[in-house]
Amino acid sequence: MSCVQATSKENPKVEALPSSLDANRMPAHIAVIMDGNGRWAQAKGLPRMMGHRAGVEALKRTLRLCSDWGIGSLTAYAFSTENWSRPGDEVNFLMTLFERVLQRELDSLEKEQVKIRFWGDLTALPKRLQSLIDEATDRTSNNKGIHFNVCTNYGGRRELVLAAQKLADRSLKGDLDPALIDENIFASELLTAGEVDPDLLIRTSGERRISNFLLWQLAYAEIHVTDVLWPDFDANALTQALVDFQSRSRRFGGLEPIAPAEQI
Ligand code: FPP
């Protein structure tokens, strides 16, 4: 994986940018709701868990493509605050899967300059997973490549409530005048502080919901919904999402389209 764009001839390991895409109009940040693992497995007569396993491969593939195509950040919705209501064996499987994947992939993530972060209430996760998350975050914190943000036990409303609590706390202590709270100060208390907002949200498997994902940060994101089930998401599906993104006229509430160079 490399953030440097190159032709596959120069370096066969790097996926070249498809000619249907304009390198100057790529999103800086893509967020993805990886939906359809269960249906993918069901359609093949496999247990749901196999869908999650295949989902990990699709996520690795997407991270590599985003990195190769010069996208600065990829944020994936791995586990929502609502996902605890799934059957216990599926929740346990997912937690163990996260652990195994982290254990298995950390060396190469570190080597490939990926900067990994986990957003959500991590204190509710199994202790072993928490220490792996700490280790992965630590070991990749100075990496200069793509930002890979994994939303784990994440809920957009909870994130907003926690930010409001922190601001109220600072105000009560006399550190912050409530009249001075603006969008920048509010955003600085979110889990995503310092990260550019997503330009593009991709949701797979045809569902047209935001599902409590990055409620603040997606304010001006373009939304691309595809019928492709997450485990089948590949270079072709990502290209289609990016072609769709590049066809949009982004006005950010104004009347004139924002010039491509200023859009991201
Ligand atoms: C949604 O499909 C998928 C999930 C809730 C889990 C996604 C997790 C991964 C792909 C693994 C990521 C791994 C790491 C280490 C970050 P679904 O089960 O809701 O599918 P369905 O809607 O067809 O039932």
Side-chain angles (χ1 to χ4, degrees):
M1 198 183 305
S2 159
C3 280
V4 181
Q5 282 185 38
T7 63
S8 40
K9 221 173 163 190
E10 285 164 345
N11 180 353
K13 283 191 181 153
V14 175
E15 189 80 32
L17 190 68
S19 57
S20 51
L21 293 174
D22 177 349
N24 296 315
R25 297 191 58 199
M26 297 295 274
H29 183 173
I30 296 181
V32 59
I33 301 179
M34 311 178 285
D35 203 7
N37 291 351
R39 275 163 284 171
W40 179 90
Q42 228 167 4
K44 291 183 155 27
L46 298 169
R48 288 178 57 81
M49 319 299 174
M50 296 303 283
H52 295 314
R53 272 205 190 132
V56 171
E57 295 312 308
L59 184 55
K60 281 165 57 183
R61 201 156 58 224
T62 305
L63 178 63
R64 182 173 291 275
L65 286 165
C66 286
S67 175
D68 286 354
W69 293 354
I71 288 153
S73 307
L74 174 70
T75 299
Y77 205 2
F79 194 89
S80 74
T81 45
E82 291 74 31
N83 284 152
W84 295 109
S85 64
R86 292 188 176 209
D89 60 346
E90 182 164 343
V91 170
N92 291 339
F93 179 88
L94 281 169
M95 294 299 149
T96 309
L97 182 68
F98 296 162
E99 283 173 26
R100 293 216 175 121
V101 172
L102 264 185
Q103 251 163 351
R104 203 175 58 210
E105 304 295 335
L106 183 53
D107 282 351
S108 59
L109 289 169
E110 191 179 23
K111 210 166 68 204
E112 303 291 345
Q113 286 299 310
V114 176
K115 181 181 170 114
I116 189 166
R117 286 173 300 189
F118 292 81
W119 292 334
D121 177 6
L122 308 178
T123 60
L125 302 175
K127 288 278 176 278
R128 214 172 42 210
L129 178 55
Q130 287 186 46
S131 6
L132 280 165
I133 285 178
D134 286 346
E135 187 189 346
T137 310
D138 251 34
R139 274 173 56 185
T140 65
S141 64
N142 293 320
N143 281 358
K144 301 287 179 255
I146 189 167
H147 295 179
F148 179 37
N149 310 306
V150 186
C151 292
T152 315
N153 193 22
Y154 174 87
R157 286 187 174 178
R158 187 180 289 181
E159 182 187 26
L160 292 171
V161 167
L162 286 175
Q165 277 178 1
K166 285 187 207 153
L167 291 167
D169 203 40
R170 282 170 60 188
S171 295
L172 267 178
K173 285 183 180 140
D175 294 340
L176 179 67
D177 176 355
L180 295 181
I181 298 174
D182 61 10
E183 292 186 10
N184 286 333
I185 292 182
F186 198 95
S188 73
E189 294 294 355
L190 296 172
L191 296 164
T192 53
E195 183 65 277
V196 59
D197 285 344
D199 309 289
L200 171 63
L201 169 70
I202 299 173
R203 180 158 192 163
T204 55
S205 91
E207 309 287 353
R208 293 162 187 270
R209 290 186 291 278
I210 290 188
S211 299
N212 204 14
F213 189 39
L214 300 175
L215 296 179
W216 172 281
Q217 299 85 345
L218 291 172
Y220 287 102
E222 299 296 327
I223 301 178
H224 173 83
V225 173
T226 171
D227 286 335
V228 170
L229 302 176
W230 177 250
D232 289 329
F233 196 81
D234 59 6
N236 189 36
L238 181 60
T239 303
Q240 279 179 29
L242 290 166
V243 167
D244 186 18
F245 172 77
Q246 294 188 342
S247 75
R248 310 280 178 94
S249 150
R250 306 190 75 202
R251 295 192 299 276
F252 297 90
L255 294 178
E256 297 299 323
I258 307 291
E262 296 163 31
Q263 285 187 9
I264 52 174

